[in-house]
Amino acid sequence: MPVPLPAPPLRRSSTVSTDELPVRDRAGAWGEWIDRLFSGLKSHQYGDLDFQGRMTTVHAGDVVLTRLEAQRHHVSRHPAQIRAAEVGYLKIVAPWVGCAGVGQKGREAWVTPDQWSIYDTTDSYAVANPVPVEHLIVMLPKDRLSERGLALDPLMARRLGGSGGIARVALETMRSAYRELPGMSDAAARGVGDAITQFVHLAMLDLAGHATAVTQREALRERIKRHVGEHLADPRLSVDTLALALNCSRRQLYNAFGEEPDGVAGYILRRRIEACRLAFEDPAQQRRSITDVALAHGFSSMAHFSRVFRAQLGVAPSDYRRGEVLPGGG
C-alpha cells in the first residue's frame, strides 16, 4: 500500500524528509516533492538504492529559499513541463557542500561552495548533483528582475561569487536570510526578499560588465539601509557610527544617499518614525506606553520624538494612537 506523502510546504517554514519512509518509497516520494515544490521539475537518482533527502523551505515575501540536503541526483525540466500560466522564477543554486552543474542556453556552469549560478524556470534546464549535496536554492519572481531592463538570457548558467565582490555579498545575504527568516515578522521578511532581489540584480549587472560607480553606490546604499534596519533601537546610531560600522567615509555615505531627499540622517529618522507608527497601529502593542515605543526605536528624548512625529505625520503621537486625527484624514 503506498505511503501517504506529506502536504507540500505552504507555511513560512516547512520541512519534508525521507527519514521516516521505507527505503523502497524514498526515491518516489522525493520525486513527487521536487515536482510539487518546483513546479514540474523531474528528479532522477543515479541508481542508488538507499536514497535520502530533506528540504526545508522559508519565505521572504515572494522570494522562496530552500535548504536541500540529498544523496546524489539530477533534475531536469523540458518545454513540455512548462505551463504558460505559472509564475516564472529565476532560480539560484548555491552549494554549502558538494557541487552542482547547471545547464541552460547551451552552457554549463559548475559551482562549488562559495559560488552560485542562476537559471530561468520558464525555459528548459538541467542541474546535476553527482555527489551528496547541501544546497541553498533561492527562487525570485522573474518579473522582479526582467522589469529592470537587464538582458537575462546571456547571464543564465554562469558562475558567480568565486572572486568575491557584490556576488559574494549577494550570497552572504541569501544565506543569512535563510537562517534568520523563521523568526521575522511578515513585513521584515518582505524587506529581506527585496534586499535579496536588489543584491542579485547588482551581481548580475556586474556579471554583464555593467558595474559602474552608480551600481557601487546602490550596493552601499543597500548596505546602509540594512544596517539601519538592524540597529534602529540603538540611540547611538548616526552617520559617524554607520561610517565606522561599514568601513567607509562620511563622504561615501552622503554620496550613496545623494538621491534621497533627506540624506542619511533623514532616512534614519524616517525609519524610526515609521517603526513607531506601525507599533501604535498594532493591537498587540496597545498596552505599551508611548515612551516605551519611542525608546525602543532609538529616541532618547520624548520632546524630540513628539516634535519629529508631528512634523512628519501632522499629528501628535497620543492623538495618532487614539485615532482621533490621522494623516490625510482632514
Side-chain angles (χ1 to χ4, degrees):
M1 182 174 180
V3 176
L5 301 177
L10 295 174
R11 301 178 299 279
R12 166 70 65 77
S13 178
S14 54
T15 299
V16 292
S17 171
T18 62
D19 290 353
E20 303 301 321
L21 298 179
V23 171
R24 66 179 181 275
D25 296 321
R26 291 178 178 176
W30 182 260
E32 289 193 37
W33 293 333
I34 288 286
D35 179 52
R36 291 192 305 207
L37 182 60
F38 299 120
S39 301
L41 189 61
K42 298 303 178 184
S43 176
H44 310 275
Q45 286 71 48
Y46 287 86
D48 296 344
L49 298 178
D50 184 12
F51 184 84
Q52 292 180 307
R54 172 188 297 266
M55 289 184 286
T56 300
T57 297
V58 295
H59 296 263
D62 55 5
V63 176
V64 184
L65 301 93
T66 300
R67 185 183 185 109
L68 181 151
E69 305 167 67
Q71 300 297 108
R72 58 181 190 157
H73 66 289
H74 66 279
V75 296
S76 59
R77 196 175 200 210
H78 302 289
Q81 298 165 292
I82 300 169
R83 296 180 290 272
E86 71 184 33
V87 176
Y89 286 94
L90 294 182
K91 195 170 176 183
I92 290 166
V93 57
W96 271 297
V97 176
C99 61
V102 178
Q104 190 171 62
K105 305 293 184 184
R107 292 183 292 272
E108 186 176 53
W110 282 92
V111 288
T112 56
D114 296 328
Q115 301 174 338
W116 53 283
S117 187
I118 191 165
Y119 44 105
D120 184 352
T121 67
T122 66
D123 199 356
S124 58
Y125 66 88
V127 180
N129 302 289
V131 296
V133 296
E134 292 182 28
H135 290 333
L136 178 62
I137 308 294
V138 181
M139 297 172 63
L140 304 93
K142 182 179 177 180
D143 59 7
R144 295 276 299 275
L145 287 167
S146 59
E147 68 187 8
R148 302 182 183 211
L150 186 63
L152 297 176
D153 284 0
L155 306 178
M156 301 297 100
R158 303 283 192 184
R159 185 168 54 243
L160 298 99
S163 59
I166 189 62
R168 179 66 62 84
V169 173
L171 176 59
E172 292 172 354
T173 301
M174 291 184 282
R175 287 178 171 175
S176 297
Y178 174 81
R179 290 192 299 267
E180 302 299 332
L181 273 165
M184 290 186 186
S185 68
D186 289 343
R190 287 193 297 272
V192 168
D194 292 339
I196 290 172
T197 302
Q198 177 66 6
F199 280 122
V200 169
H201 176 236
L202 292 173
M204 294 173 72
L205 280 174
D206 188 64
L207 180 64
H210 295 167
T212 64
V214 173
T215 62
Q216 292 167 12
R217 285 198 303 272
E218 288 178 350
L220 178 57
R221 184 162 63 246
E222 292 303 316
R223 290 176 61 206
I224 293 168
K225 289 183 176 182
R226 183 171 60 173
H227 187 88
V228 168
E230 293 171 349
H231 295 84
L232 276 182
D234 186 353
R236 296 168 298 177
L237 181 64
S238 66
V239 173
D240 288 330
T241 60
L242 265 172
L244 183 63
L246 300 180
N247 193 29
C248 62
S249 67
R250 289 171 60 97
R251 179 182 294 276
Q252 287 173 309
L253 291 183
Y254 292 140
N255 286 342
F257 268 69
E259 298 176 2
E260 300 277 341
D262 301 317
V264 182
Y267 174 76
I268 295 172
L269 205 55
R270 290 200 311 274
R271 286 291 304 272
R272 283 178 164 156
I273 290 295
E274 177 64 9
C276 291
R277 183 187 70 79
L278 292 174
F280 292 154
E281 293 183 356
D282 184 357
Q285 301 187 53
Q286 286 303 302
R287 292 183 178 274
R288 295 180 68 188
S289 69
I290 290 175
T291 299
D292 181 44
V293 170
L295 293 177
H297 293 97
F299 288 99
S300 55
S301 164
M302 285 305 297
H304 178 238
F305 167 66
S306 296
R307 185 168 60 253
V308 173
F309 192 96
R310 183 186 288 273
Q312 292 201 13
L313 298 179
V315 62
S318 56
D319 291 337
Y320 186 94
R321 190 172 207 178
R322 287 193 297 267
E324 293 181 3
V325 183
L326 295 178

